[in-house]
Amino acid sequence: MSNENKNIHEFDFNLICEYFSSIERQGPGSPESTLKALGFIDNLSNQSVIADLGCGTGGQTMVLAQHTTAKLVGLDLFPGFIDRFNENAAILNLQDRVKGIVGSMDELPFQAEELDLIWSEGAIYNIGFERGINEWLKFLKTGGYIAVTEASWFTDERPAEINDFWNEAYPEIDTIPIKMGQLQKAGYIPVAAFCLSEYCWTKNFYEPQVEAQKVFLQKYPDNQTAKELITNLRFEEEMYQQYKDYYGYVFYIGKKL
Ligand code: SAH
């Protein structure tokens, strides 16, 4: 398809989407951490409904589907990711109870108290952790769960360079006790919090990108957006390698009171 008739924004958007569609995960994580978090959830049956918000191409959603009998809805803003998501569900023969839909996490298409579990890996930052956990609460049944990963500080103090980097990228990053306090204040029992292992970032997220970046830059050698995207991603990785003792993703699990 030609890009001539598209405006620049739409072209950039599609390009970024194309890049992230070429890798299995769009954020740090692992099947092991998905299953560890799932281990805290005790109310699921084949009558349950799980929503995976900001599901991307569905890496973690398919893991959830293979380890529960629930109905799953994956929701993402990017239609390209949802197409891939539904292809992946069909390949795994899960299409009868796993469905990807295009939508926004700030305007969820669910009924009040419809959901047994809200899942979101590496995505709640798009509307902010505190806003997300508060706004999503009404869609959960009483006794339903929320399980999300969120960038968090591991220490009270950290070097200025990484502090500034994150305060620019996502000022809502905070320490684990603060995030647990926000869960409790929003109306959840703070059930658990655990840090994702380093390999969720390195082996599962950054390493597959080395080849993906090569292919992408070869395909778009003169494209400024492509170059900037890759430069930013490489810088982000450098920051992680240098400062991983100070921050990472934390899985937060809460139960609606
Ligand atoms: N959960 C996936 C993807 C994480 S990347 C994984 O861990 O691999 C973040 C995802 O959030 C992207 O797929 C992006 O398209 C999606 N996203 C961004 N803003 C969104 C919004 N407002 N509503 C729904 N999804 C959104």
Side-chain angles (χ1 to χ4, degrees), residues 6-13 225:
K6 293 183 178 169
N7 65 37
I8 287 174
H9 177 73
E10 200 179 340
F11 180 69
D12 286 357
F13 185 81
T225 304

Side-chain angles (χ1 to χ4, degrees), residues 23-255:
I23 48 181
E24 197 183 324
R25 299 199 66 99
Q26 289 76 46
S30 68
E32 296 79 15
S33 55
T34 297
L35 291 177
K36 191 190 273 192
L38 186 63
F40 290 100
I41 318 291
D42 58 14
N43 64 341
L44 297 174
S45 71
N46 58 5
Q47 301 300 309
S48 305
V49 184
I50 304 174
D52 184 0
L53 308 179
C55 59
T57 57
Q60 71 292 317
T61 330
M62 305 308 152
V63 173
L64 290 174
Q66 287 167 320
H67 290 85
T68 65
T69 54
K71 192 175 149 214
L72 277 116
V73 182
L75 176 138
D76 203 281
L77 200 55
F78 284 10
F81 288 168
I82 290 300
D83 289 345
R84 186 64 66 90
F85 178 106
N86 285 322
E87 282 163 26
N88 289 341
I91 290 166
L92 296 168
N93 204 22
L94 292 165
Q95 68 279 5
D96 291 344
R97 60 184 179 91
V98 180
K99 203 163 186 52
I101 58 171
V102 177
S104 183
M105 57 176 75
D106 59 8
E107 218 177 315
L108 293 178
F110 305 110
Q111 308 286 320
E113 309 208 345
E114 183 183 342
L115 305 173
D116 296 273
L117 171 60
I118 291 179
W119 205 267
S120 186
E121 292 196 34
I124 196 172
Y125 73 89
N126 286 296
I127 58 167
F129 180 83
E130 213 172 1
R131 180 177 166 200
I133 60 171
N134 278 283
E135 286 188 10
W136 299 348
L137 181 75
K138 63 175 176 287
F139 298 105
L140 283 176
K141 293 174 185 155
T142 301
Y145 285 84
I146 188 167
V148 302
T149 60
E150 164 81 342
S152 307
W153 293 126
F154 295 158
T155 57
D156 284 328
E157 311 261 323
R158 51 256 154 198
E161 187 179 25
I162 193 60
N163 201 56
D164 294 349
F165 172 79
W166 271 100
N167 280 333
E168 178 77 19
Y170 182 56
E172 224 185 299
I173 184 171
D174 217 320
T175 59
I176 299 168
I178 298 264
K179 299 274 174 194
M180 288 298 257
Q182 290 171 348
L183 265 183
Q184 179 157 327
K185 193 159 154 255
Y188 302 89
I189 301 170
V191 171
F194 65 88
C195 301
L196 264 63
S197 304
E198 202 180 306
Y199 75 88
C200 297
W201 294 73
T202 50
K203 183 168 161 291
N204 290 8
F205 186 52
Y206 290 131
E207 273 176 33
Q209 291 192 51
V210 174
E211 184 58 27
Q213 290 176 359
K214 227 165 65 190
V215 171
F216 190 65
L217 288 176
Q218 269 163 9
K219 186 167 173 195
Y220 299 106
D222 304 315
N223 185 283
Q224 203 48 34
T225 304
K227 277 192 205 150
E228 275 171 27
L229 174 69
I230 303 306
T231 304
N232 287 341
L233 285 166
R234 286 177 179 166
F235 183 66
E236 200 189 289
E237 181 181 357
E238 269 171 46
M239 288 288 103
Y240 182 73
Q241 292 297 355
Q242 197 173 341
Y243 295 114
K244 60 194 169 201
D245 291 346
Y246 297 94
Y247 72 94
Y249 265 174
V250 173
F251 234 121
Y252 294 95
I253 296 116
K255 181 172 185 173

